[in-house]
Amino acid sequence: MSKLTLLNDWFERVWVGGDLAAIPQFFTEDSRAAGVMRGLDLGPQEFAELIPAMLSLIEDPSATVLRHIEARDWLWALLLVRAKSAETLEPIEFTAQVAMQIEGDRLAEAYNHFDMISFFEQLGAFPPETMALCMSGERLH
């Protein structure tokens, strides 16, 4: 299985399909993923808690790989994530990057960055232009 196929299967089966029981099949025994939330490395159990929380906010998620690079046992990918707000059904679109080390057909370690500011702006949880507001010294309360 190619590294890109593994990544696509992860998103399709677990994030899009909601198959939480499949999560352990994608990870090595000691694997960890960093970057989803500051100071929190995620393993299979933490993903089993995070994914339902995220999916409760959105409907019809999809992830499209815009660019990717494979080097030895590493995969880097730039993703475009699309969904609809579960509350309003308005479209949501944001980018993400993942860098993951693959051992066999499983994720050994991953470093992720998802544009969560844009995600929460589009859900209405953050004001529009949150980044610009914060850069100008504005505080969100």
Side-chain angles (χ1 to χ4, degrees):
M1 171 184 308
S2 78
K3 293 168 188 59
L4 188 57
T5 299
L6 178 66
L7 177 63
N8 283 323
D9 287 352
W10 162 250
F11 280 113
E12 285 300 314
R13 192 157 170 205
V14 178
W15 283 96
V16 174
D19 185 359
L20 301 179
I23 292 172
Q25 298 170 21
F26 287 91
F27 291 91
T28 63
E29 187 175 314
D30 298 325
S31 61
R32 304 304 288 170
V36 175
M37 285 192 278
R38 184 177 175 182
L40 178 66
D41 287 351
L42 303 176
Q45 180 58 42
E46 291 83 9
F47 273 109
E49 296 168 8
L50 172 73
I51 291 169
M54 291 291 293
L55 292 179
S56 73
L57 301 173
I58 59 174
E59 293 187 6
D60 302 325
S62 69
T64 302
V65 176
L66 301 176
R67 306 267 189 285
H68 76 284
I69 297 171
E70 295 186 30
R72 285 179 257 155
D73 56 347
W74 283 88
L75 169 68
W76 168 85
L78 172 64
L79 307 166
L80 177 63
V81 180
R82 291 186 173 115
K84 294 179 186 172
S85 164
E87 185 177 328
T88 66
L89 297 181
E90 289 293 318
I92 295 171
E93 184 176 287
F94 61 96
T95 56
Q97 293 187 55
V98 297
M100 36 181 72
Q101 183 185 32
I102 312 296
E103 289 181 4
D105 287 340
R106 295 179 179 227
L107 303 171
E109 63 181 302
Y111 301 91
N112 304 291
H113 174 75
F114 288 70
D115 184 359
M116 298 310 288
I117 290 177
S118 179
F119 174 76
F120 284 113
E121 279 179 351
Q122 293 172 73
L123 285 177
F126 288 171
E129 304 299 328
T130 293
M131 182 69 100
L133 288 169
C134 291
M135 294 291 289
S136 69
E138 194 73 30
R139 299 270 186 216
L140 304 179
H141 299 282

